[in-house]
């Protein structure tokens, strides 16, 4: 990937990782209930789930590219529209609430890993999201497989580190999110919409 494209992608991936979603909520919840160390099981499970979803999304995008480059343009505009729609949904979403459970301390590492994996891998919007997001940065003139590998690796590192920070600060920020959660969701929703509008317009 061209360096400037990768930098834009990295900034977009960071913003998207901070947006409300099943795995960020799970990282917050497990961080508050189990602490950062045990929540690592959750994060590793989520990373594996995201890797599976990204691989499936990339397979579909790659198949379209082999069929015709025109489909990449179509996918960019359809994906942009989907990201705008997703932004509206996030804008309207209620504040994040962290549920607490008295028996949560008994959860084993394997259980936390499985919950993290399932939160990422079984989210029906996951493949749609990555199928909409990743094509915005694909350059058909360059090696597509290498671009996909770079984008997948970059996102997984950013997502893991972002969720680790959320889990580490869970005790401190859950109250803050309850107070300003709606404004936070609106900021994230605006980010989704901006990405959906601006990226398909890039040269």
């Amino acid at each position: 990937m061209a360096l400037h494209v990768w930098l834009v992608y990295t900034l977009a991936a960071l913003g998207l990782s901070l947006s409300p979603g099943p795995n960020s909520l799970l990282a917050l919840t497990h961080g508050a209930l189990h602490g950062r160390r045990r929540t690592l099981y959750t994060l590793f499970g989520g990373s594996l789930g995201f890797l599976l979803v990204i691989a499936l999304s990339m397979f579909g995008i790659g198949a379209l590219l082999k069929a015709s480059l025109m489909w990449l343009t179509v996918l960019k505009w359809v994906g942009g529209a989907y990201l705008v729609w997703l932004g509206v949904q996030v804008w309207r979403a209620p504040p994040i609430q962290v549920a607490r459970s008295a028996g949560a301390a008994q959860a084993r590492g394997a259980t936390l890993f499985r919950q993290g994996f399932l939160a990422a891998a079984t989210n029906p919007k996951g493949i749609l999201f990555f199928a909409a997001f990743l094509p915005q940065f694909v350059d058909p003139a360059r090696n597509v497989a290498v671009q996909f590998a770079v984008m997948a690796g970059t996102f997984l590192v950013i997502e893991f580190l972002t969720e680790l920070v959320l889990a580490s600060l869970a005790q401190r920020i859950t109250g803050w999110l309850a107070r300003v959660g709606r404004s936070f969701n609106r900021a994230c929703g605006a980010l989704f919409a901006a990405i959906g509008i601006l990226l398909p317009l890039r040269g």
Side-chain angles (χ1 to χ4, degrees):
M1 295 179 70
L3 178 61
H4 71 281
V5 174
W6 179 79
L7 290 174
V8 172
Y9 172 81
T10 300
L11 288 175
L14 178 60
L16 297 175
S17 292
L18 291 170
S19 302
N23 283 79
S24 58
L25 176 57
L26 195 62
L28 270 173
T29 303
H30 285 185
L33 298 177
H34 308 296
R36 179 180 63 180
R37 197 168 177 183
R38 289 189 61 76
T39 304
L40 287 173
Y41 290 105
T42 308
L43 305 191
F44 283 120
S47 295
L48 182 60
F50 276 123
L51 181 60
L52 175 63
V53 170
I54 292 173
L56 291 173
S57 301
M58 289 179 173
F59 177 80
I61 296 167
L64 285 177
L65 282 175
K66 287 182 179 179
S68 171
L69 290 180
M70 179 194 72
W71 286 109
L72 178 61
T73 301
V74 172
L75 194 58
K76 283 184 177 182
W77 284 100
V78 172
Y82 173 74
L83 292 174
V84 171
W85 177 84
L86 196 59
V88 173
Q89 303 307 306
V90 172
W91 177 285
R92 299 171 60 185
I96 291 176
Q97 298 291 332
V98 176
R100 297 183 178 275
S101 170
Q106 308 302 320
R108 298 185 306 157
T111 301
L112 300 179
F113 182 92
R114 183 174 65 253
Q115 290 176 354
F117 174 80
L118 291 176
T122 64
N123 183 354
K125 297 179 181 178
I127 294 179
L128 283 176
F129 172 78
F130 285 107
F133 181 60
L134 297 178
Q136 312 299 336
F137 300 93
V138 173
D139 181 355
R142 296 174 180 265
N143 188 306
V144 175
V146 172
Q147 292 179 76
F148 280 160
V150 170
M151 288 191 289
T154 299
F155 180 84
L156 290 175
V157 169
I158 290 174
E159 181 71 15
F160 184 91
L161 293 178
T162 301
E163 290 183 13
L164 181 61
V165 170
L166 289 176
S168 302
L169 301 178
Q171 295 286 358
R172 298 180 183 179
I173 66 176
T174 49
W176 175 79
L177 283 174
R179 292 193 302 273
V180 303
R182 189 166 293 279
S183 297
F184 180 75
N185 287 354
R186 287 178 176 176
C188 292
L191 174 65
F192 275 120
I195 290 173
I197 293 170
L198 297 177
L199 288 181
L201 297 174
R202 277 190 322 121

